[in-house]
Amino acid sequence: MVDSWERARHILQAAGLDPGRLAHLAPLTGGTYNTVEELRLTDGSRYVLKIPPAAAVPGMRHERRLHVSEAEFYRSAARAGVPTPRQVSAGDDFLLMTAVPGDPWDGTLTDTEQTALRAELGRQVARLHRVTGPGFGYPSGALGPLAPDWRTAFTAMFDAVLDDARRYGARLPRPVDAVARTAASAYGALDEVTDPCLVHFDLWPGNILVDRADGRTRIGGLIDGERMFWGDPLADFVSLALLGDIRSDEEFLAGYREAGGRARFDAPARLRLALYRAYLYLIMLTETVPREAGEEQQRWVRERVAPELVAALDEIERGS
């Protein structure tokens, strides 16, 4: 087994940093896929090191080469002026990036702070969505090359998670084939998407850092961009309102529209949003198997996530 300090020093040296200046190394919690460590050097600079699991470790099909997608997200977000980590060095088995200030968004914020931060978040996400890519899908190539249209890309993404559900025997509230038929009935709505926009797809509060360092409360950075893809901006609204409805988040939508984001919820958009909800909730239900989730986590997804999947599928059936 490779010693963590030895591995970190080796990666620092490869990145052109003095490995002898490594003063602190500690695991960071919150993720369920990669090994994540904080590195602090003697001059106070901070870095985050991500190590993906070995190839033999069970996982979802779209999770191969996640660090490639994450690096792409940070490069692309920088073009939009959105605060995120900056890639320092990367290899086949690691990603080294700068740390950004702040702590995960939590329940300690006042109502006033929440209101201001949701509007700021809306403006930042709108800026993300102005960045476009060379095609549709995951830039990691985990599901093949980028597609020329969104329907081709998203149906491949949806089929992949259904294949994972079958392969792992995931406990879904409806049979996999029934889920596939319901989703397919709404695929025509995907043809309205013509630009491959930057989508984070994992913007739940744990991946939004809030910085209070100088007495002001602001967003310090958007992190963990490993689930990103090029696609429909509407897809980001799922994790931004996880297990809820983004249409009730007036502050976020006001900030989003103020910065030029388009947030219309006509019938085709509602169908697409239901498809993206179904996609994320299928992932959350299925990944508990390869992750070997404990009973508490399994019970949570059965009680909280499964009903949301059913609600999304019901909405597709009504709308189609």
Side-chain angles (χ1 to χ4, degrees):
M1 182 175 179
V2 178
D3 175 79
S4 296
W5 283 77
E6 178 184 346
R7 178 178 61 197
R9 290 190 184 100
H10 176 75
I11 290 172
L12 287 171
Q13 185 169 31
L17 298 169
D18 182 358
R21 291 165 51 199
L22 179 62
H24 170 86
L25 186 150
L28 292 175
T29 59
T32 60
Y33 186 74
N34 297 290
T35 297
V36 187
E37 298 168 337
E38 180 190 41
L39 282 58
R40 206 174 302 154
L41 305 190
T42 53
D43 63 359
S45 56
R46 296 168 55 235
Y47 300 88
V48 173
L49 175 63
K50 280 195 174 184
I51 307 292
V57 174
M60 309 278 282
R61 282 182 56 194
H62 71 276
E63 290 180 323
R64 292 192 291 268
R65 291 166 51 83
L66 282 180
H67 65 291
V68 174
S69 292
E70 183 161 13
E72 179 65 42
F73 176 78
Y74 297 144
R75 284 193 296 269
S76 300
R79 289 160 51 192
V82 174
T84 63
R86 176 179 57 81
Q87 176 185 320
V88 177
S89 183
D92 291 337
D93 56 354
F94 75 92
L95 173 64
L96 180 67
M97 68 199 89
T98 58
V100 291
D103 299 298
W105 188 310
D106 60 21
T108 63
L109 296 168
T110 66
D111 290 345
T112 301
E113 289 173 329
Q114 292 251 28
T115 297
L117 285 174
R118 291 306 292 182
E120 181 187 352
L121 179 63
R123 292 189 290 270
Q124 291 193 8
V125 173
R127 290 200 292 272
L128 286 180
H129 291 168
R130 288 202 293 267
V131 181
T132 57
F136 292 92
Y138 288 110
S140 65
L143 302 181
L146 295 175
D149 63 90
W150 180 226
R151 188 199 285 224
T152 298
F154 185 73
T155 55
M157 292 159 61
F158 207 93
D159 287 346
V161 74
L162 291 176
D163 287 346
D164 286 329
R166 293 186 184 96
R167 179 161 50 107
Y168 289 120
R171 294 178 59 180
L172 302 182
R174 291 186 182 175
V176 175
D177 290 346
V179 174
R181 287 192 299 271
T182 297
S185 70
Y187 284 162
L190 300 170
D191 293 335
E192 290 204 347
V193 181
T194 57
D195 295 319
C197 298
L198 179 62
V199 177
H200 184 289
F201 204 59
D202 200 13
L203 284 172
W204 68 291
N207 288 338
I208 303 167
L209 299 189
V210 176
D211 181 19
R212 292 167 159 170
D214 58 2
R216 295 174 51 212
T217 302
R218 60 180 178 271
I219 294 175
L222 307 181
I223 63 171
D224 285 354
E226 62 196 14
R227 308 285 170 172
M228 72 80 66
F229 52 76
W230 300 110
D232 184 355
L234 202 64
D236 256 339
F237 291 174
V238 180
S239 61
L240 282 161
L242 192 64
L243 306 178
D245 188 341
I246 194 66
R247 288 172 290 186
S248 65
D249 193 340
E250 296 177 0
E251 291 82 10
F252 171 85
L253 290 175
Y256 187 78
R257 289 169 174 141
E258 177 190 328
R262 299 178 62 188
R264 294 184 303 180
F265 299 102
D266 56 12
R270 292 196 302 271
L271 265 182
R272 299 200 313 274
L273 189 55
L275 278 172
Y276 308 146
R277 286 162 49 211
Y279 179 61
L280 179 58
Y281 298 146
L282 278 170
I283 291 174
M284 293 174 69
L285 286 160
T286 301
E287 68 185 6
T288 61
V289 183
R291 298 278 197 284
E292 298 182 344
E295 177 55 34
E296 183 178 350
Q297 175 67 12
Q298 292 183 40
R299 182 169 57 252
W300 183 83
V301 296
R302 286 196 304 268
E303 294 176 355
R304 295 294 310 278
V305 180
E308 293 297 331
L309 172 59
V310 171
L313 296 172
D314 286 346
E315 185 169 345
I316 291 171
E317 289 171 351
R318 290 192 301 269
S320 298

